[in-house]
Amino acid sequence: MIAMRAGITMAALLLATISVRPAAACSMMRGYKVPTNLELAATADTIVIAQVDGEQKGEDAFGGVVLATPVTLLKGAVLPPRIEIDGAHLSDSPDMVFRNDPRELRRPNPGALIGGCVRYIFPTDARLLLFLKRDDAGKLVPYRSSFSRDAEDVTGPDALWAKAVREYVAIAALPKPKQRKAMEARVAALNATGDVDDAAIAADLKVELSHRRLPPFD
């Protein structure tokens, strides 16, 4: 179990005391960097919004599989029929489930700061924005990266995080030499609309332009 960072809620501290497989607790490699929003968008082969609708229970906290049905395609050619989130389970306990701040665009859901360093406990009614990548067999599976925003709650395609991800998908599709100018142009354009969501996305794009990233939590 990783050491807890000061500032994690008491509920998180209580949750961190549950029994877990030693192999499931994450161990950060030296030099690990939390992927930025642009890096998540660029790495993923497919990005979807998916509705959680079932689970396969495991022997312990990390042995189950959460099942979800994609409902909206944000990147990729085809909406996959089904998604399996390995090493995860469902719960409706307020002491175990963390709802992310719908106005947050940089920090991960608090559930990613405990246990296996990725969010692995989801509410039964969760609607998630998921980044998918093909495994060695060519199957699209959730891309999980420690402390990242790889499985955040959204209400739908008009949620702030979904809007921001679409911006990053468009930028990631450009050649790298053109990405900075594209972000600078989008910051100006979004700030000019007077819309609160556009302003929030513009502010996050400025963070991306600064090359600041979240450090691993220790």
Side-chain angles (χ1 to χ4, degrees), residues 11 25 42 129 193:
L129 195 155
T193 68

Side-chain angles (χ1 to χ4, degrees), residues 108-178:
N109 182 280
L113 309 183
I114 59 177
C117 301
V118 293
R119 188 182 184 193
Y120 65 96
I121 305 175
F122 299 96
T124 57
D125 63 347
R127 180 164 287 199
L128 305 171
L129 195 155
L130 298 171
F131 298 81
L132 309 178
K133 194 164 179 63
R134 295 195 180 277
D135 63 13
D136 293 340
K139 180 182 177 181
L140 283 171
V141 297
Y143 173 69
R144 310 308 307 272
S145 186
S146 298
F147 310 124
S148 78
R149 292 179 60 83
D150 60 37
E152 299 294 312
D153 300 304
V154 292
T155 55
D158 292 328
L160 176 61
W161 176 230
K163 292 179 181 178
V165 168
R166 285 197 293 269
E167 292 284 344
Y168 284 114
V169 167
I171 293 164
L174 299 172
K176 282 194 174 182
K178 295 184 177 181

Side-chain angles (χ1 to χ4, degrees), residues 32-55:
Y32 171 76
K33 295 179 179 179
V34 178
T36 68
N37 295 340
L38 179 59
E39 288 169 345
L40 281 174
T43 299
D45 295 315
T46 299
I47 303 174
V48 301
I49 296 174
Q51 182 66 52
V52 167
D53 52 19
E55 70 175 323

